[in-house]
Amino acid sequence: MTFTVTNPELAADLHNRINIDLIVGNGFDIRVLKRLNQQPTTFSNFYDWEMKRANQNQSSIILNIMKIRKDEFEDWSDIEEAITIAVCENKYDIKDIIQSVQQIQEDFADFLNSIVTPEMLNLTNIIANKKSVKKSVKHLLVDDSFVEKTLYSFGDDVLMMYNEKSVNEIFGIIDHYDLMNWSIFKFNYTYLLDNYLKMAFQNFDPHMYFQSKMNSYFRIPQTRKPSDNRKQTIYSTFLHQQVFHPHGSIGIPSGMLFGYNSIDQLHGSPVPPELRYRSQYKLEQQLAKSYLAQDEINYGPYLAEAELFIVFGSSLGRSDAWWWEHILQRLCVEFSLESLSFNAKKQDTTHAIYSPKLIIYWFGPSLPATPKENPNAYAEIRKQVLARILAFLPSNTNAELRKRIYKQIFVIPFGPDTKLTAFQI
């Protein structure tokens, strides 16, 4: 959603508005907790933890389905698949299923609180904000902190996996005095990401420039000027960010959403409007995440106005189909850069028309550190991820539109030893 700038002096200085939507799943938490030598919040660890308490919850419908299908389930979306199975099999009363889900909510909150302690949150913030020192031939160089690299320099990851042309396609609209408006959606229930992105004063000075109101910078790992030999271009920008937890948080267990995307997905076809909020369908709505979170009202405007989407640590599961469908809809749009401008300043005619882009980070546990070591493995991951996200397009999408959307998606596979710029820990 467009951030409203109420300060007239700041508005007068700003050039373009760049809306960036970052969607982060449990993969981020796993990455952080492993770095801190803590038990990761994986599905398998929760399953084992839950089994130790099974004598307390023998009647749990969802738990019993998890037991039966343990070998098939790997991701958090599989718990939500178990909920879908329970409802679709018609073997259980919907009220009993809802009660079982409520028990899972409570147990999962206990599980997360036992791992993500206040000490872990504080340590995450300290590590994310720590600057490192590099030695050069003549003097010491202070390197950016992890949080700065994530927000300011993630273009390095695109260049590592693609080329300068791709970098320019994504970031070519960015210029000095742009508003970098980050809307961050944390799909998991902890506050690890919030603490990771919270910059300490040594990394964020609200008035870092003497004569300008810009409070940050943005690095693009190339230059648009062929005569310039610099390896990167640094732009003075204004950073604004806000974090949302669409699926709830561990502080309020009853608000942690588990379920399917919608009752339409549950039944395989749209439920008639006159029936959606009646009898059995009304009960089923209590497990429909998009309905309970009021995604269309609360988050639809943010997705409808984004110029760039970044997805990290998400399995792109069916239970979050609303998000993937709306992102793909946005990738279809073409617009003039004049629509982003605060002021009638001269536009870069090279990028007069722009379509939003999607960057997907995807972890491959067996991938080598760099694409050069096994380019085929990286190419296969890209192919699989593209197929996974494009599956959320309507079945009647014509080939030309599908091809156009395909070109707007950039997949960044990475392995355990890949040196990413963003999301380091």
Side-chain angles (χ1 to χ4, degrees):
M1 180 183 291
T2 300
F3 167 56
T4 302
V5 179
T6 56
N7 184 295
E9 294 180 1
L10 174 60
D13 284 348
L14 290 171
H15 186 192
N16 287 336
R17 176 188 292 107
I18 309 297
N19 295 315
I20 303 174
D21 286 4
L22 170 61
I23 297 172
V24 178
N26 188 54
F28 174 82
D29 286 25
I30 293 172
R31 184 175 176 85
V32 170
L33 291 168
K34 282 186 176 180
R35 166 66 173 81
L36 301 179
N37 296 316
Q38 295 296 307
Q39 178 186 9
T41 54
T42 58
F43 170 79
S44 58
N45 281 341
F46 174 63
Y47 177 85
D48 293 339
W49 186 87
E50 189 75 328
M51 287 303 105
K52 293 177 182 178
R53 297 160 52 111
N55 59 334
Q56 303 174 30
N57 304 312
Q58 287 292 342
S59 62
S60 171
I61 296 169
I62 307 304
L63 187 59
N64 289 334
I65 293 176
M66 287 165 60
K67 287 180 183 177
I68 295 170
R69 304 203 175 205
K70 180 180 183 296
D71 294 336
E72 302 174 32
F73 290 172
E74 297 178 354
D75 301 316
W76 281 114
S77 57
D78 292 322
I79 288 185
E80 295 173 319
E81 188 65 24
I83 297 171
T84 304
I85 292 169
V87 177
C88 290
E89 283 184 343
N90 292 319
K91 289 167 48 177
Y92 313 100
D93 187 289
I94 185 66
K95 294 180 180 178
D96 293 334
I97 296 173
I98 293 170
Q99 184 177 1
S100 179
V101 171
Q102 290 171 345
Q103 184 62 57
I104 293 290
Q105 288 173 324
E106 295 175 12
D107 291 352
F108 191 44
D110 290 343
F111 169 72
L112 291 177
N113 279 313
S114 70
I115 299 172
V116 186
T117 62
E119 290 77 15
M120 289 301 103
L121 295 175
N122 185 51
L123 187 56
T124 299
N125 181 259
I126 292 172
I127 293 175
N129 278 280
K130 186 178 180 180
K131 291 182 180 289
S132 59
V133 178
K134 294 181 178 180
K135 291 183 178 180
S136 69
V137 177
K138 296 183 178 180
H139 52 269
L140 298 177
L141 300 175
V142 179
D143 196 16
D144 284 347
S145 64
F146 292 156
V147 61
E148 289 175 291
K149 290 180 178 179
T150 297
L151 295 174
Y152 303 155
S153 303
F154 63 91
D156 290 343
D157 293 334
V158 177
L159 184 60
M160 177 174 64
M161 298 297 171
Y162 288 88
N163 50 43
E164 289 192 359
K165 179 182 177 183
S166 297
V167 169
N168 204 35
E169 287 177 3
I170 299 171
F171 304 109
I173 62 173
I174 296 173
D175 205 344
H176 286 293
Y177 310 117
D178 282 354
L179 167 66
M180 309 301 288
N181 181 38
W182 287 75
S183 298
I184 301 160
F185 304 96
K186 183 63 166 67
F187 278 10
N188 198 26
Y189 312 95
T190 74
Y191 291 99
L192 283 170
L193 180 68
D194 308 63
N195 280 268
Y196 182 90
L197 294 176
K198 181 62 177 178
M199 287 192 281
F201 183 76
Q202 70 264 25
N203 294 326
F204 182 73
D205 182 350
H207 208 299
M208 66 184 296
Y209 299 106
F210 182 69
Q211 293 182 320
S212 169
K213 290 189 176 295
M214 301 301 104
N215 62 9
S216 63
Y217 49 89
F218 192 85
R219 289 191 173 98
I220 299 179
Q222 63 142 19
T223 176
R224 280 176 267 178
K225 299 176 182 178
S227 60
D228 193 334
N229 293 321
R230 289 178 299 170
K231 293 182 179 180
Q232 61 185 9
T233 303
I234 302 177
Y235 295 97
S236 301
T237 58
F238 188 90
L239 172 69
H240 175 263
Q241 61 170 310
Q242 50 189 338
V243 181
F244 303 92
H245 289 257
H247 299 162
S249 63
I250 55 177
I252 309 176
S254 63
M256 294 166 55
L257 301 184
F258 288 93
Y260 30 78
N261 180 59
S262 67
I263 59 174
D264 298 327
Q265 181 193 69
L266 184 68
H267 292 280
S269 61
V271 174
E274 66 273 14
L275 299 177
R276 295 185 72 84
Y277 311 107
R278 296 177 180 272
S279 60
Q280 180 77 2
Y281 294 113
K282 182 66 173 179
L283 290 171
E284 291 173 354
Q285 292 278 28
Q286 295 184 43
L287 298 174
K289 290 163 62 178
S290 182
Y291 170 77
L292 294 174
Q294 297 188 87
D295 285 339
E296 199 68 52
I297 296 171
N298 291 327
Y299 311 116
Y302 293 92
L303 273 59
E305 296 181 0
E307 281 70 60
L308 175 63
F309 299 96
I310 305 170
V311 177
F312 186 94
S314 171
S315 62
L316 303 179
R318 290 197 312 149
S319 61
D320 294 313
W322 180 89
W323 292 84
W324 318 133
E325 290 167 0
H326 280 67
I327 289 173
L328 292 172
Q329 288 175 20
R330 179 62 176 166
L331 299 189
C332 300
V333 176
E334 291 183 337
F335 54 84
S336 168
L337 290 192
E338 293 179 0
S339 63
L340 306 179
S341 182
F342 281 90
N343 304 295
K345 295 185 178 181
K346 184 178 179 181
Q347 297 291 331
D348 181 354
T349 55
T350 306
H351 301 89
I353 301 298
Y354 184 81
S355 290
K357 305 293 188 289
L358 167 62
I359 299 173
I360 304 175
Y361 285 82
W362 194 270
F363 179 69
S366 60
L367 282 177
T370 66
K372 291 182 179 179
E373 296 176 52
N374 192 339
N376 291 335
Y378 274 78
E380 182 59 28
I381 290 288
R382 282 201 193 97
K383 180 180 177 181
Q384 292 175 6
V385 175
L386 283 165
R388 194 176 184 114
I389 186 68
L390 290 173
F392 290 99
L393 284 173
S395 57
N396 61 351
T397 304
N398 64 61
E400 182 179 350
L401 182 56
R402 183 179 291 268
K403 183 178 180 180
R404 196 170 86 197
I405 294 172
Y406 178 94
K407 291 181 178 179
Q408 313 306 328
I409 304 174
F410 299 82
V411 180
I412 301 179
F414 64 97
D417 299 318
T418 303
K419 294 183 179 179
L420 294 175
T421 296
F423 306 104
Q424 292 187 65
I425 190 68

